[in-house]
């Protein structure tokens, strides 16, 4: 069998559903198109995690009430640290090494050493943190899609992926307070702090609302590949306008909202860095730097394209020098564009806002939070009922995943379990959208009708007719590796230098 035939066979036999709303083929390594080896690594990540939970819970004192630190601060983050090179998890649960040996993919070399490394990676986890993946972190996303983001970011190294994922969940839960603070507080909370609070809380609220009202950064529309676009209008940014804490808080808020607008596991986002009117005297790309840092660490695989638009003379030359020291995968996503002709390769003219030379008659305006828009968040009885429903669904997902990884890969039994598992994930997504109004403060995108809960996101309500969408899809000839469509009458070979990053 040739290598090509073997690869095709593997692609046809993976146990993930292959349906997609996109006009292009799912890339290899993404949910819906995994090689046998890639699927084995996803299975191993779940198997190791659940074996960790099983062993920890078997040895715990059922009558002992855990503190918050014991639940959510892993050994690697605790002040009491063992000597370098020693794993606290290994010291506490020495049998884990042998247990993990049976769970790792058989294609790996030196399994015993790899098993020890896997146990060391578990120093970044607690059993409660593992359960947070489904309970809180994935929201409407398939848990496998989240795991795959970390696997791709770590170049398919299971140990690195597990370590990165554990660090991210700790960061979300303890350090950044993404769900319990930033999303729960939202724009309404910031506006209230600005008006009625004092000291630091009032300053943070005022800074947050200033960024929202000015529209220095906002989400609107999609590019030709269907990716939501985060616009950054650099000319409006001044570092003195807000504290670093306020800037990072608002940027994380936007990243989370952009993530909520993704409705398929292979989707990523696009950043449009608009440098129109930008002068080197005001050089400050702090928002972009922070987004790139978060995209590499806590939101891996969430960034599909970076459009640097209307860059001033000299910046492209500087970029050619800088990119030598940057990650090649990241630099491949960077494209320089000039004028509306340059953007047309990536964004359809009727979906490009007029500010950028497009045909869409839209401009950013901010609607202030409404007095009672978050009243559902006071209904703790309904919230707790939905959270309990989610807890039970997450336990069902856990049981189905254990059953899935215990059955031979590519077997009919594994396929059948996978179907039930995917149905459970659909129920989890449905649960999230019913829970969403009780745990997340409303945003401008909710108030202006773009976010529609379980019904998705509609950036262009007037263009949503099914016939027009089908017609648009039929026009697509191909999409390149960065997701750019090539439409008849759009490409301009005489101006190709405007499109590329080199």
């Amino acid at each position: 069998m040739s290598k090509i035939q073997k690869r095709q066979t593997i692609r046809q036999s993976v146990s993930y559903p292959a349906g997609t709303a996109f006009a292009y083929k799912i890339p290899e390594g993404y949910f819906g198109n995994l090689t046998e080896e890639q699927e084995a690594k996803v299975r191993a990540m779940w198997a190791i995690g659940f074996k960790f939970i099983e062993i920890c819970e078997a040895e715990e004192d059922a009558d002992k009430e855990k503190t918050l630190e014991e639940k959510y601060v892993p050994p690697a983050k605790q002040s009491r640290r063992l000597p370098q090179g020693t794993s606290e998890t290994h010291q506490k649960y020495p049998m884990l090494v042998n247990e993990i040996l049976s769970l790792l993919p058989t294609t790996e070399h030196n399994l015993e050493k790899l098993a020890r490394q896997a146990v060391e990676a578990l120093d970044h986890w607690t059993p409660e943190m593992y359960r947070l993946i489904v309970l809180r972190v994935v929201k409407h996303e398939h848990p496998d899609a989240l795991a795959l983001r970390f696997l791709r970011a770590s170049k398919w190294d299971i140990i690195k992926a597990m370590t990165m994922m554990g660090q991210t969940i700790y960061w979300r839960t303890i350090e950044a307070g993404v769900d319990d603070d930033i999303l729960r507080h939202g724009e309404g909370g910031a506006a209230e702090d600005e008006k009625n609070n004092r000291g630091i809380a009032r300053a943070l609220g005022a800074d947050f609302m200033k960024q929202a009202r000015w529209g220095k950064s906002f989400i609107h529309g999609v590019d030709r590949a269907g990716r939501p676009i985060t616009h950054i209008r650099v000319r409006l940014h001044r570092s003195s306008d807000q504290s670093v804490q306020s800037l990072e808080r608002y940027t994380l808020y936007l990243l989370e909202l952009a993530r909520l607008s993704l409705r398929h596991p292979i989707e990523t986002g696009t950043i449009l860095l608009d440098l129109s009117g930008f002068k080197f005297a005001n050089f400050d790309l702090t928002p972009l730097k922070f987004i790139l840092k978060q995209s590499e660490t806590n939101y891996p695989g969430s960034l599909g394209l970076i459009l640097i638009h209307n860059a001033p003379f000299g910046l492209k030359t500087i970029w050619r020098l800088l990119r030598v020291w940057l990650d090649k995968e990241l630099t491949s996503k960077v494209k320089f564009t000039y004028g509306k002709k340059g953007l047309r390769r990536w964004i359809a003219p009727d979906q490009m806002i007029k500010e950028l030379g497009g045909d869409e008659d839209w401009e950013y305006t901010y609607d202030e939070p409404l007095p009672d828009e978050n009243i559902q968040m006071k209904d703790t009885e309904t919230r707790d009922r939905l959270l309990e429903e989610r807890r039970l669904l997450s336990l069902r997902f856990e049981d189905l995943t254990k059953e899935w990884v215990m059955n031979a890969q590519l077997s009919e039994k594994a396929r059948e379990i996978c179907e039930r598992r995917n149905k459970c994930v659909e129920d989890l997504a449905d649960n999230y959208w019913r829970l969403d109004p009780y745990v997340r403060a409303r945003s401008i995108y909710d108030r202006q009708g773009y976010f529609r809960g379980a019904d998705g996101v509609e950036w262009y309500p007037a263009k949503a007719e099914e016939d027009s969408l089908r017609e648009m899809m039929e026009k697509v000839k191909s999409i390149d590796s960065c997701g750019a469509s090539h439409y008849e009458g759009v490409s301009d070979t005489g101006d190709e230098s405007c499109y590329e990053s080199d």
Side-chain angles (χ1 to χ4, degrees):
M1 182 182 290
S2 70
K3 289 183 179 179
I4 294 177
Q5 288 174 323
K6 184 176 181 181
R7 173 170 288 184
Q8 289 173 340
T9 301
I10 292 172
R11 283 181 173 175
Q12 291 166 357
S13 61
V14 292
S15 54
Y16 293 115
T20 174
F22 293 102
Y24 56 89
K25 191 173 183 179
I26 299 175
E28 185 182 289
Y30 285 74
F31 184 91
N33 186 13
L34 301 181
T35 66
E36 186 175 354
E37 182 180 0
Q38 289 166 347
E39 182 178 339
K41 294 195 174 187
V42 177
R43 291 161 64 98
M45 278 189 71
W46 287 116
I48 292 169
F50 290 137
K51 179 57 68 175
F52 173 60
I53 291 174
E54 180 185 317
I55 291 177
C56 290
E57 292 183 344
E59 297 194 8
E60 285 174 357
D61 184 351
D63 296 327
K64 180 181 180 293
E65 180 128 3
K66 285 187 176 182
T67 65
L68 285 176
E69 181 181 18
E70 289 172 324
K71 286 182 178 180
Y72 301 114
V73 181
K77 293 292 184 178
Q78 292 176 6
S79 56
R80 57 182 190 280
R81 297 293 302 278
L82 294 174
Q84 187 175 2
T86 305
S87 164
E88 184 166 321
T89 302
H90 191 190
Q91 292 280 335
K92 194 171 182 180
Y93 308 108
M95 73 293 297
L96 259 178
V97 171
N98 291 332
E99 293 284 356
I100 289 175
L101 272 173
S102 64
L103 303 174
L104 290 167
T106 56
T107 55
E108 298 288 349
H109 301 291
N110 197 343
L111 286 180
E112 189 170 346
K113 179 181 177 182
L114 196 65
R116 286 198 302 271
Q117 291 174 340
V119 172
E120 291 169 7
L122 290 172
D123 280 351
H124 294 274
W125 290 90
T126 66
E128 288 79 11
M129 286 173 62
Y130 250 107
R131 291 207 164 108
L132 283 182
I133 296 173
V134 179
L135 280 172
R136 302 179 68 173
V137 176
V138 296
K139 293 182 169 59
H140 61 298
E141 189 176 14
H142 197 299
D144 286 357
L146 182 69
L148 283 165
R149 292 183 191 277
F150 287 94
L151 279 168
R152 291 193 302 270
S154 63
K155 306 295 189 290
W156 298 95
D157 184 316
I158 297 175
I159 310 306
K160 288 182 180 178
M162 289 177 61
T163 302
M164 284 178 63
M165 203 171 181
Q167 291 171 337
T168 291
I169 292 177
Y170 174 80
W171 169 82
R172 287 182 66 90
T173 307
I174 304 299
E175 294 182 346
V178 172
D179 298 300
D180 288 337
D181 182 12
I182 294 175
L183 290 178
R184 187 184 294 274
H185 206 60
E187 296 165 31
E192 181 66 23
D193 287 342
E194 177 188 40
K195 183 178 179 182
N196 297 320
N197 220 320
R198 297 180 179 179
I200 294 177
R202 183 171 185 170
L204 290 175
D207 283 354
F208 188 99
M209 295 307 296
K210 184 188 297 183
Q211 294 178 84
R213 289 170 182 141
W214 286 10
K216 292 192 291 186
S217 303
F218 59 88
I219 311 164
H220 182 75
V222 295
D223 64 12
R224 290 195 185 273
R227 294 174 291 218
I229 303 171
T230 299
H231 299 250
I232 301 178
R233 299 193 284 190
V234 179
R235 68 183 181 277
L236 298 180
H237 176 70
R238 299 288 185 277
S239 59
S240 59
D241 288 342
Q242 68 285 301
S243 66
V244 173
Q245 184 181 356
S246 296
L247 175 65
E248 293 183 354
R249 186 179 179 86
Y250 184 73
T251 304
L252 287 176
Y253 181 68
L254 273 186
L255 283 170
E256 283 295 315
L257 293 181
R259 184 176 162 228
L260 278 178
S261 72
L262 302 177
R263 296 309 174 97
H264 190 276
I266 72 168
E267 277 193 311
T268 53
T270 287
I271 292 177
L272 199 166
L273 190 70
D274 184 10
L275 293 167
S276 304
F278 168 77
K279 297 179 181 178
F280 273 107
N282 300 323
F283 189 81
D284 186 359
L285 298 181
T286 304
L288 179 63
K289 292 176 186 176
F290 184 71
I291 288 176
L292 292 178
K293 178 185 176 182
Q294 293 300 323
S295 297
E296 289 180 341
T297 55
N298 298 311
Y299 297 87
S302 61
L303 186 57
L305 184 65
I306 305 172
L307 298 177
I308 300 180
H309 186 59
N310 287 343
F313 178 78
L315 185 59
K316 198 169 181 180
T317 302
I318 295 173
W319 167 251
R320 284 174 175 159
L321 297 173
L322 289 177
R323 68 178 186 175
V324 176
W325 289 278
L326 299 176
D327 181 74
K328 288 184 178 180
E329 185 176 349
L330 176 63
T331 58
S332 70
K333 298 174 181 178
V334 175
K335 304 294 173 183
F336 282 79
T337 62
Y338 295 90
K340 62 182 180 181
K341 183 183 288 187
L343 278 179
R344 284 177 69 187
R345 183 181 182 189
W346 309 101
I347 308 172
D350 63 341
Q351 296 178 4
M352 187 192 306
I353 61 177
K354 282 196 170 182
E355 180 179 317
L356 298 171
D359 299 334
E360 188 192 5
D361 189 10
W362 182 93
E363 61 180 20
Y364 181 84
T365 56
Y366 185 74
D367 293 344
E368 293 289 328
L370 301 173
D372 294 326
E373 67 180 12
N374 295 317
I375 195 167
Q376 286 179 276
M377 297 181 74
K378 297 179 180 180
D379 183 359
T380 56
E381 183 179 346
T382 302
R383 179 201 66 193
D384 291 346
R385 176 177 57 79
L386 291 169
L387 285 171
E388 175 61 15
E389 177 186 309
R390 189 166 188 84
R391 186 185 72 83
L392 295 174
L393 283 169
S394 70
L395 290 176
R396 175 164 173 73
F397 175 83
E398 184 176 323
D399 289 339
L400 286 168
T401 302
K402 289 177 183 177
E403 193 177 354
W404 177 54
V405 299
M406 286 174 62
N407 280 271
Q409 189 171 342
L410 310 181
S411 68
E412 287 301 320
K413 181 66 174 176
R415 293 175 190 274
E416 184 270 326
I417 297 168
C418 192
E419 289 180 6
R420 288 190 281 128
R421 185 169 173 266
N422 288 332
K423 175 60 172 66
C424 181
V425 171
E426 290 176 9
D427 293 339
L428 279 163
D430 174 71
N431 167 270
Y432 174 75
W433 291 120
R434 287 184 285 117
L435 177 64
D436 180 70
Y438 299 91
V439 296
R440 179 180 66 85
R442 300 300 87 183
S443 70
I444 179 178
Y445 308 104
D446 297 284
R447 291 192 290 278
Q448 295 186 350
Y450 298 117
F451 283 11
R452 302 184 177 190
D455 293 328
V457 178
E458 186 52 72
W459 297 112
Y460 313 102
K463 305 182 183 77
E465 291 82 1
E466 188 175 335
D467 289 343
S468 63
L469 281 175
R470 187 180 298 112
E471 181 182 352
M472 184 183 75
M473 296 301 236
E474 289 172 354
K475 289 180 181 178
V476 178
K477 286 185 174 181
S478 64
I479 293 184
D480 66 20
S481 60
C482 278
S485 300
H486 302 286
Y487 282 69
E488 291 183 357
V490 171
S491 61
D492 184 347
T493 56
D495 193 28
E496 189 68 19
S497 62
C498 294
Y499 304 141
E500 301 305 325
S501 60
D502 51 3

